[in-house]
């Protein structure tokens, strides 16, 4: 096993998992976009790297949420039942979850740049076909392909961050990415609504295709390869599976992965239930809901920036993570007490306040779980990133339908799901990661 010192000078936690694949020991090549360059040289173009990786991270939520205002129009245009059209969202989300498992190991074997470019080209092609899809069934199929290909941006962006940064630098960069990925879901429906003022639902896919094409050009022209040949795995699919199995047998990595996934599930349950809870139960207007949704997203982004700019380097990542998970549990407990009627009828303001606190705490939980997990996996950042992303999407997809199990007249299921996820995340963090036994 190769010993790797953190670029920030921080001590590593436990021993990392040994790489299972062979290594190509060839020397790094010249600094042109298609060939690997020193990590220090790439980091010097920090703003450009941030914008490129931020764009790749934002593309999947744009693909999901820009399309939301157009669902009724799609139902009418394609003469399909609403339930069938809803499958276009499910297909895209499923593709994003499964695609990461495929692309992550590919990027560990062939480098980051090649699989990313292939994924982006397939994404653009699938999106263009969605523009002209004549039936709902064809739209569902190519939304699945769109999600599978778009997953390359999510998983490889995280892997590139791991290639370039370590320790507190990596945590800071993840907090910066959260600024972009946190804003994208908020503005995406607004952009989709504006696009629908000038064209129909097919125009939304045309805009996504143009965005994907521009990102592809930017990646091809300016994003250098960050994984040198000597650090690549040369094994096949079996080797990738063994690498993932090795990652999952690392108790600490798995603890951070599950904790992050459960925190994401609490967030996803909020996204799924909040339109119904805020508008139907508490009688808020669509404009009020949009305002509250935007304020909560701003809270998440601001706390993420506080984490990256002020806390990282001064407070250990585990302490910040523990505080964030504890706040999520407390906020979810308050929501359950208020929505269950234990303290009588409460209005929208107390419930909205608890949701704001819960969402803001995600700015501490999500970037720090990713940073701590990836800090242990320098040898297989692509596979590790794939596991982190797929786990989050799958757990979120399982938790999301549970918020409506008791019907449309109560918000208790949302609060229960959030509390269970918060408690589970905190328990996994304390029980599996055992931060008090390791040096931060």
């Amino acid at each position: 096993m190769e010993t790797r010192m953190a670029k920030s000078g921080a001590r590593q936690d436990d021993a990392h998992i040994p790489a299972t694949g062979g290594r190509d020991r060839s020397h790094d090549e010249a600094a042109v976009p298609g060939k690997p360059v020193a990590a220090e040289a790439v980091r010097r173009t920090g703003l450009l790297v941030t914008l490129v990786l931020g764009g790749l991270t934002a593309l999947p939520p744009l693909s999901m949420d820009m399309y939301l205002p157009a669902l009724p129009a799609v139902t009418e245009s394609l003469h399909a039942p609403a339930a069938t059209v809803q499958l276009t969202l499910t297909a895209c989300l499923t593709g994003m979850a499964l695609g990461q498992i495929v692309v992550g190991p590919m990027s560990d074997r062939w480098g980051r740049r090649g699989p990313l470019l292939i994924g982006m080209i397939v994404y653009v092609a699938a999106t263009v076909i969605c523009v002209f899809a004549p039936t709902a069934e064809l739209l569902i199929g190519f939304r699945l392909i769109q999600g599978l290909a778009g997953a390359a941006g999510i998983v490889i962006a995280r892997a590139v961050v791991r290639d370039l940064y370590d320790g507190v630098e990596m945590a800071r960069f993840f907090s910066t990415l959260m600024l972009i990925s946190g804003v994208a879901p908020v503005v995406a429906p607004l952009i989709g609504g504006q696009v629908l003022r000038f064209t129909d639902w097919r125009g939304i896919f045309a805009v996504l295709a143009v965005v994907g094409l521009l990102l592809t050009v930017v990646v091809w022209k300016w994003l250098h390869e960050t994984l040198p040949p000597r650090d690549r795995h040369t094994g096949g699919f079996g080797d990738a599976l063994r690498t993932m199995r090795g990652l999952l047998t690392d108790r600490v990595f798995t603890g951070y992965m599950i904790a992050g996934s459960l925190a994401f599930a609490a967030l996803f349950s909020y996204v799924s239930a909040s339109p119904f809870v805020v508008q139907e139960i508490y009688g808020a207007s669509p404009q009020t809901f949009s305002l509250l949704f935007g304020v909560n997203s701003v809270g998440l982004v601001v706390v993420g920036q506080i984490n990256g700019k002020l806390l990282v380097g001064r407070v250990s990542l585990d302490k910040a993570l523990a505080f964030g998970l504890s706040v999520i549990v407390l906020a979810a407990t308050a929501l359950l007490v208020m929505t269950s009627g234990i303290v009588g009828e409460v209005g929208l303001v107390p419930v909205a306040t608890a949701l704001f606190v819960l969402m803001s705490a995600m700015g501490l939980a999500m970037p720090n779980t990713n940073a701590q997990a990836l800090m242990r996996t320098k040898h297989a950042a692509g596979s590790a990133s794939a596991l982190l992303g797929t786990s989050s999407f799958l757990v979120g997809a399982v938790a999301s339908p549970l918020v409506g199990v008791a019907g449309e007249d109560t918000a208790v299921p949302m609060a229960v799901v959030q509390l269970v996820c918060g408690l589970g995340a905190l328990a996994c963090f304390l029980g599996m990661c055992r931060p008090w036994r390791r040096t931060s």
Side-chain angles (χ1 to χ4, degrees):
M1 177 180 69
E2 296 181 357
T3 303
R4 298 195 177 275
M5 298 299 294
K7 298 179 183 68
S8 62
R11 289 177 57 187
Q12 296 296 316
D13 292 336
D14 298 333
H16 292 195
I17 309 163
T20 55
R23 302 288 192 184
D24 183 347
R25 297 293 178 181
S26 61
H27 295 290
D28 290 354
E29 301 185 51
V32 295
K35 298 179 181 179
V37 295
E40 291 78 7
V42 180
R43 287 202 301 272
R44 282 197 292 269
T45 60
L47 178 59
L48 179 60
V49 171
T50 301
L51 292 176
V52 173
L53 298 184
L56 294 172
T57 304
L59 188 59
L62 287 176
S63 302
M64 288 289 295
D65 296 344
M66 273 184 64
Y67 178 64
L68 294 178
L71 285 178
V74 176
T75 301
E76 182 179 352
S77 173
L78 299 181
H79 308 290
T84 301
V85 174
Q86 286 284 348
L87 289 177
T88 61
L89 296 175
T90 304
C92 188
L93 182 63
T94 302
M96 289 179 188
L98 299 179
Q100 295 183 65
I101 287 291
V102 176
V103 177
M106 286 174 59
S107 73
D108 283 336
R109 182 176 183 185
W110 290 298
R112 314 302 185 203
R113 185 176 155 84
L116 177 57
L117 283 171
I118 292 172
M120 293 303 299
I121 291 170
V122 174
Y123 173 89
V124 172
T127 306
V128 169
I129 294 176
C130 288
V131 174
F132 302 101
T135 65
E137 291 74 19
L138 189 64
L139 183 60
I140 291 170
F142 279 94
R143 283 284 278 174
L144 176 64
I145 296 174
Q146 186 189 43
L148 288 167
I154 306 174
V155 67
I156 292 180
R158 277 195 302 260
V160 168
V161 173
R162 183 62 188 95
D163 293 339
L164 299 179
Y165 300 97
D166 213 335
V168 296
E169 290 181 336
M170 181 166 57
R172 287 195 181 106
F173 201 97
F174 274 125
S175 294
T176 302
L177 284 185
M178 176 161 285
L179 172 63
I180 301 172
S181 60
V183 170
V186 179
V187 302
L190 301 177
I191 296 173
Q194 293 304 309
V195 171
L196 289 176
R197 293 181 61 184
F198 302 99
T199 181
D200 60 5
W201 62 271
R202 299 181 188 274
I204 292 178
F205 287 110
V207 171
L208 288 172
V210 172
V211 172
L213 182 61
L214 291 175
L215 271 175
T216 305
V217 172
V218 170
V219 168
W220 172 75
K221 189 170 179 62
W222 284 295
L223 186 64
H224 294 273
E225 176 60 64
T226 59
L227 186 67
R230 68 171 181 270
D231 291 334
R232 297 176 189 174
H233 293 221
T234 57
F237 182 70
D239 179 69
L241 291 179
R242 286 189 293 273
T243 299
M244 289 188 175
R245 184 175 62 188
L247 290 168
L248 293 174
T249 58
D250 176 15
R251 170 180 49 78
V252 179
F253 171 84
T254 303
Y256 284 122
M257 181 187 74
I258 297 176
S261 298
L262 289 171
F264 181 80
L267 183 150
F268 211 74
S269 65
Y270 158 78
V271 172
S272 300
S274 58
F276 151 73
V277 171
V278 173
Q279 296 180 80
E280 300 297 327
I281 296 180
Y282 291 97
S285 66
Q287 292 75 23
T288 301
F289 164 71
S290 299
L291 177 62
L292 291 177
F293 193 89
V295 168
N296 289 342
S297 299
V298 169
L300 185 153
V301 169
V302 169
V303 173
Q305 294 310 291
I306 292 173
N307 177 71
K309 305 298 183 184
L310 298 179
L311 299 182
V312 172
R314 296 179 176 88
V315 179
S316 75
L317 301 186
D318 280 332
K319 287 182 179 178
L321 175 56
F323 181 76
L325 293 176
S326 299
V327 172
I328 290 172
V329 170
L330 292 175
T333 301
L335 278 169
L336 181 58
V337 170
M338 288 187 287
T339 57
S340 62
I342 294 176
V343 294
E345 293 293 328
V346 297
L348 176 61
V349 173
V351 172
T353 301
L355 286 172
F356 173 79
V357 173
L358 186 146
M359 284 291 291
S360 298
M362 296 292 175
L364 293 175
M366 296 175 63
N368 289 330
T369 51
N370 280 334
Q372 289 288 67
L374 288 173
M375 222 177 293
R376 303 178 59 80
T377 59
K378 179 66 176 176
H379 69 280
S383 296
S385 177
L387 288 173
L388 291 172
T390 300
S391 174
S392 294
F393 274 96
L394 290 180
V395 175
V398 170
S400 179
L402 299 179
V403 299
V405 294
E408 300 180 355
D409 299 324
T410 176
V412 170
M414 178 191 73
V416 169
V417 170
Q418 291 172 336
L419 181 56
V420 169
C421 289
L423 288 171
L426 188 59
C428 287
F429 169 62
L430 296 176
M432 300 178 70
C433 303
R434 301 175 188 175
W436 61 86
R437 293 189 179 183
R438 297 179 294 112
T439 302
S440 296

